Amino acid sequence: MTLLAAQNLSVRLGGTDILSGITLALEPGEIVTIVGPNGSGKSTLLRALLGLISPAKGTVTRAKSLSIGYVPQRLHIDRPMPMTARRFLSLPKRCTDAQAMDALTRCGVADAGPRQLADLSGGQLQRVLLARALLNQPDLLILDEPTQGLDQPGEAAFYTLIAEVRRDTGAAVLLVSHDLHVVMAASDRVICLNGHICCEGAPDVVREAPEYRALFGAGTQGALALYRHDHDHSHGPDTPHEHGPNCDHDHTPASAKKAAHV
């Protein structure tokens, strides 16, 4: 049973085409990571899938009674307004102390309940946001660049936590990454987006790549992977190459191409 699907989805904002021809489907229990440069439409795609904006073309379908947990890209906190993590978990739907403690403990911030949100570190706040998203026992967890602003060890720890949540709850995960070259090793699929789906494939865990070892140490296993993709088409003369200096494209014929990981 497909949880969520988009068919030939296009989105226009302010008279500008942001997304075009997006077709994808999310299946129970899988982790799908979306990568792309700034301005590629990643957050817009999430909003369209969540039903927060209407597509110009195409359709979005959701499984009946689908429960979605959402972790936003960032939470703006008004420091003068007191708000503990425990109180935040009960907004907008009240939860019991036991439920709150279970969610915070699962996310590795068991002691965060009485603390002010404004006093939490970036990593702690993201874990509290994840705990809140898990309270409704979602079938699908959607995360919009959840590690933005975290250092590399913080990213690794958060990605590992997401993989553990999928393992323990069975929830599917749709994750947007702000870094084109770093994706979850636990991903079942990686989708490269730049206004349209450029390529899609299953990532391999990087165990020997020098870049991987340089970033996370030779002993790091499975938290992150460096992802190199090969496009099956050109972006065209009017579309600049925005995928960064380490995105190693191979423009050999399509029949010889495949998604690759270094």
Side-chain angles (χ1 to χ4, degrees):
M1 176 188 68
T2 298
L3 297 178
L4 182 68
Q7 181 66 38
N8 198 31
L9 183 72
S10 296
V11 175
R12 288 177 60 86
L13 296 176
T16 301
D17 291 326
I18 306 299
L19 297 170
S20 62
I22 304 295
T23 295
L24 57 83
L26 300 170
E27 305 300 330
E30 71 172 342
I31 296 180
V32 177
T33 300
I34 299 174
V35 297
N38 290 335
S40 62
K42 301 186 297 294
S43 294
T44 298
L45 175 57
L46 292 193
R47 290 197 293 270
L49 294 176
L50 288 166
L52 301 177
I53 57 177
S54 299
K57 296 180 182 178
T59 59
V60 175
T61 56
R62 304 173 188 86
K64 187 177 180 180
S65 301
L66 176 67
S67 175
I68 298 177
Y70 175 59
V71 177
Q73 185 176 124
R74 62 178 63 87
L75 179 67
H76 297 286
I77 300 172
D78 186 358
R79 279 194 166 272
M81 182 181 71
M83 175 71 69
T84 65
R86 171 64 186 90
R87 183 183 175 194
F88 176 70
L89 292 183
S90 280
L91 298 175
K93 182 179 178 181
R94 184 177 298 276
C95 67
T96 67
D97 288 341
Q99 290 171 329
M101 178 55 69
D102 180 68
L104 291 172
T105 300
R106 178 189 293 276
C107 294
V109 283
D111 62 347
R115 298 179 61 188
Q116 296 292 322
L117 290 181
D119 294 334
L120 298 177
S121 69
Q124 290 169 334
L125 181 58
Q126 287 306 107
R127 287 169 180 261
V128 170
L129 291 173
L130 177 61
R132 183 169 177 262
L134 293 175
L135 282 171
N136 291 329
Q137 299 179 323
D139 307 303
L140 172 62
L141 187 61
I142 295 181
L143 304 100
D144 187 1
E145 303 194 28
T147 63
Q148 189 174 63
L150 302 185
D151 59 15
Q152 290 168 353
E155 285 189 348
F158 193 86
Y159 286 149
T160 298
L161 173 60
I162 295 302
E164 291 171 353
V165 166
R166 191 272 294 265
R167 180 196 66 200
D168 295 342
T169 68
V173 176
L174 178 62
L175 170 77
V176 164
S177 173
H178 68 277
D179 192 328
L180 284 171
H181 314 297
V182 182
V183 300
M184 293 181 60
S187 294
D188 298 297
R189 282 187 290 138
V190 175
I191 296 173
C192 182
L193 187 72
N194 194 13
H196 61 289
I197 294 178
C198 302
C199 59
E200 179 177 354
D204 297 322
V205 176
V206 175
R207 297 190 185 276
E208 301 299 332
E211 296 89 346
Y212 178 81
R213 291 170 176 263
L215 284 172
F216 302 104
T220 305
Q221 294 293 328
L224 301 175
L226 299 179
Y227 174 65
R228 175 171 66 85
H229 65 266
D230 296 329
H231 281 252
D232 287 339
H233 60 278
S234 170
H235 281 279
D238 297 325
T239 305
H241 181 80
E242 299 183 82
H243 292 259
N246 297 320
C247 187
D248 186 9
H249 285 74
D250 174 7
H251 293 288
T252 52
S255 61
K257 293 182 179 182
K258 62 180 180 179
H261 307 271
V262 297

